[in-house]
Amino acid sequence: MDQSRIRNFSIIAHIDHGKSTLADRILQLTETVSEREMRDQLLDSMELERERGITIKAQAVRVQWKGHELNLIDTPGHVDFTYEVSRSLQACEGAVLVVDAAQGIEAQTLANAYLAIENDLEIVPVVNKIDLPSADPEAAAAEVCELLGGAPQDVVRISAKTGQNVEQVLDAIVERIPPPEGIADAPARALVFDSSYDQYRGVIAFVRVVDGRLATGAPLHAMAMGTDFDAEELGFMSPQRVPVEALEAGEVGYVVTGLKDVSRLRVGDTLTTRRGGAAIALPGYKDVKPMVFAGLFPSDSDDYPELRDALEKLKLNDAALFYEPETSQALGFGFRCGFLGLLHMEIVRERLEREFDLDLLVTAPNVAYSVKERNGAWVEVHNPADMPRDPEEVQEPYVSAQVIVPKDYVGAVMELCTERRGRFDHLEYLSETRVLLTYELPLGEIVYDFYDQLKSRTRGYASFDYDVAGFRDGELARVDVLVGGEQVDALSLIAHRDAAYERGKLLVERLREEIPRQMFDVPIQAAIGSRVIARETVKAKRKDVLAKCYGGDITRKRKLLEKQKKGKKRMKQVGGVEVPQEAFLAVLNLDGERKR
Amino acid sequence: MSRPTEIDQGAIRHLYVHLPFCVHRCGYCDFVTAVGRQDEHGAYAGALLAELERERWRLASAVETVFVGGGTPTFTEPDALRRVLAALPETSELAIEANPETVTPALAALLHEHGVTRVSLGAQSFRPRLLEVLERVAGPDDVRRAAHTLRNAGFDNISLDLVYGIPGQSAADLDADLADALALEPEHLSCYELEAKPGTRFTHAHGEELASQEEAMESYAERVVETLTDAGYRWYETANFCRPDSGRELRAQHNLAIWRGADYLGVGVGAVSTLGGERRRNLPSVGRYTAALGAGEDPPREVERLDAETREVERLMLGLRLDEPLAVDADGRADVLDRDALARLVERGLVERPDGGVRLTPRGRLLGGAVTAELLA
């Protein structure tokens, strides 16, 4: 196909503003799928994605419209996947920015729009859901123009749900988004913007050919990772795989690589041919690092091998997932896992529980810390239990956070950000009623309970997004929890010195409620180093015996005893104290509950 | 019916006889009982004697104990009761349960004539308000009168049953009940914490109230033990106390044998037997029981197999209820004891090891359920 007839675009939007519905309508309108084949939100193939209304893994679909080849590159819609979004956008010349007519611009609208602008994309603004009674298309259009410049009449007003005006979006894509301008006879360079794993065919890379061409069977080379493989099959999605002989400059499609390990082909890498290949890779490759860590333990220690297998399988499709074995005295064998962010963590956890039918204990999430040791070397710490008690210096990751909120809540948000050690950066009125606040905040505060607090203090009106901004020095303390005088490794946490007391107190109070009374007093303490900062006691039971036991009762009493014994087996022994798993769960959920 | 073998023949030294009839079923009761049905007492006694005959080959020539329980054995129509007592094998302890309202001079005389040596009187409480909650028929004065009637008939081994943890029972109520019981100078006392068993009418009516006063009543067991031991009684089993009269063994011999792990034969509806590797339970229906034996068949039963390990678990579970050391190191026994746990519990002062045996300390006995669960591997 002549490049002048190709248009490569993404749809970008805040969560639930209708991105996937618009993609569905486009597939129908262009007769890429028949009515009969249509499933709602076809592009989101995972059950979980459909349920949560978000797209986790991006894919690309080719559609035909009025003599043009349009490649729709879907993007993940969440803050944790910013890097993947940026790679998808780099594969495009334009983006359709969808804004909910009732909600207006939200934090992710902004974040995505900025990413699109950074990538020099032509933006086609669309106001969606104009069929809603609460819709205010003019106000939403005005906000969009304020953000992007341009005239309100250039904003396409649609209802993706009913299909109203969706053809205008397709026309605007053809008219306004520039065609690709790759050099057809240059050495091949193709940007990997996504990948997935097929159990029969191995890693399948989704690529945008920038220059040159990729031909079936050609020996290829991934320039950043240095991985070599052959293009076993090339093609495009429609939305099923349609094999072709070659992918030309400007085109979007897939490459079947035969690789058995997703980590050998990372998003953002550049594919070229092994013979006569390009010398310089496409810009922008980044090794994405997990920033949020948590321990994952099977509730039933017998399930450890299942958990390991499940993580291995998930990792095939999720190069950003990190895991390594972890042994906790309290929780047994498990894995310390690294995630891009909290949502990523929740998704992994839910997939493990749902798709692999595992019952998990998840420790409170923490961020990655950078610690300077006595010998002057800097190490990264992923687990509070590994934090040296007296480190030379500790740094923690900070983010640049954008919060959009109705102006009445500005005070509440500023108060929250200040409480959470935020540094004010910027305030801007997006419209008469809505304000954009920018703060620098420690990521550790965000993984604690920031998001939940933000929602509750703004009655759910705030929207929020962040980028990792780098590591900064932190006045941090490691808080340990001791039960019966023995440290419970899984409950250690790292907190800012000013918050350590409160958090330690909360933990021991909750543990006291959850640990059943034993045959002796059980002290529960929170400590920083050897200094106890909070203490509670579970008082000993005074009586635990069945009063009556004669000849007719023996079987029943024995069964009760066996049940009691079995109950003990489910308990974890800490400092000679039987702690039911539920107690850990309740304490670990302390954070979780606040987040939900 | 199992065939007699050399080993089985005459091996059983303890006999339990169940007489299920009651004037009223108390709300907290989960025993096999039958209310009223006076016209059936005779037929039931006939069936019971038929079962006893079918099983008699199992009994030793010198049966050590016989226990007649219920229901309310003494509510059984006198002729039927007389027939049952007359048919029992000769024994050194013949114990029977009685409800106070049934104890008349005539009944006392009947029991005494038939060789009953020990009467266990279901007093439960001396507070009218609490007796009402328990749906007991007898009042406090009935209990006192029954005790005197028995004494006058010549009984020198009387036990009183008390229940504590009754909904609405204060610590002062408990103290008063104990004082009232001690005033009757019984040779033996059984004090049970009220168990609200699931499915009983009582649990339905009082379950929530009981749960709410659980914490307040936690000290009651201690209080009972303290009061009775202060009064000179021996706390020889979790819920049982006896006077340490010199020269007289006042522990309940029948139950003591069971706590020490002996086999026993039970006859009557709902009765349980433990016979070597087998535990069997007659089904609870009086009608089916009488019909089967009338037809010359065994009563309907369920049977549970007990392997050596299970019997050893039971031996520990029961033996640790006593104040005497339990032998644990004898050869040939299944090893069901967690030695680490044993050491831990000794260290915590809940278990002691007199002469290599195992015995729970007073505090250990109050926590007997948890301690036993921990001791078992």
Side-chain angles (χ1 to χ4, degrees), chain A residues 120-134:
Chain A
D120 293 327
L121 301 195
E122 179 65 34
I123 296 177
V124 176
V126 168
V127 169
N128 187 25
K129 305 194 190 181
I130 58 171
D131 57 312
L132 286 185
S134 58

Side-chain angles (χ1 to χ4, degrees), chain A residues 9 24 31 51 63 91 94 99 126 197 258 271 311 339 368 376 389 400 443 477 483 495 498 551 553 580:
Chain A
F9 71 102
D24 289 349
E31 293 168 358
E51 224 168 78
V63 304
V99 176
V126 168
Y197 187 81
L271 300 187
L311 281 168
F339 310 95
R389 284 222 165 68
S400 167
L443 182 61
V483 172
D498 297 342
D553 306 317

Side-chain angles (χ1 to χ4, degrees), chain B residues 2-76:
Chain B
S2 346
R3 292 286 120 218
T5 67
E6 289 286 321
I7 301 162
D8 291 338
Q9 188 103 37
I12 306 298
R13 296 169 181 278
H14 307 281
L15 172 66
Y16 175 82
V17 176
H18 194 74
L19 294 175
F21 302 105
C22 275
V23 66
H24 162 77
R25 186 181 176 95
C26 305
Y28 62 94
C29 175
D30 72 337
F31 285 96
V32 176
T33 58
V35 172
R37 297 157 78 164
Q38 269 89 337
D39 51 329
E40 292 172 27
H41 292 194
Y44 178 80
L48 181 82
L49 296 180
E51 191 192 6
L52 181 57
E53 281 322 303
R54 296 174 74 86
E55 302 291 335
R56 201 179 276 275
W57 60 269
R58 295 182 188 274
L59 295 175
S61 52
V63 168
E64 291 170 22
T65 68
V66 177
F67 192 100
V68 183
T72 311
T74 50
F75 174 67
T76 311

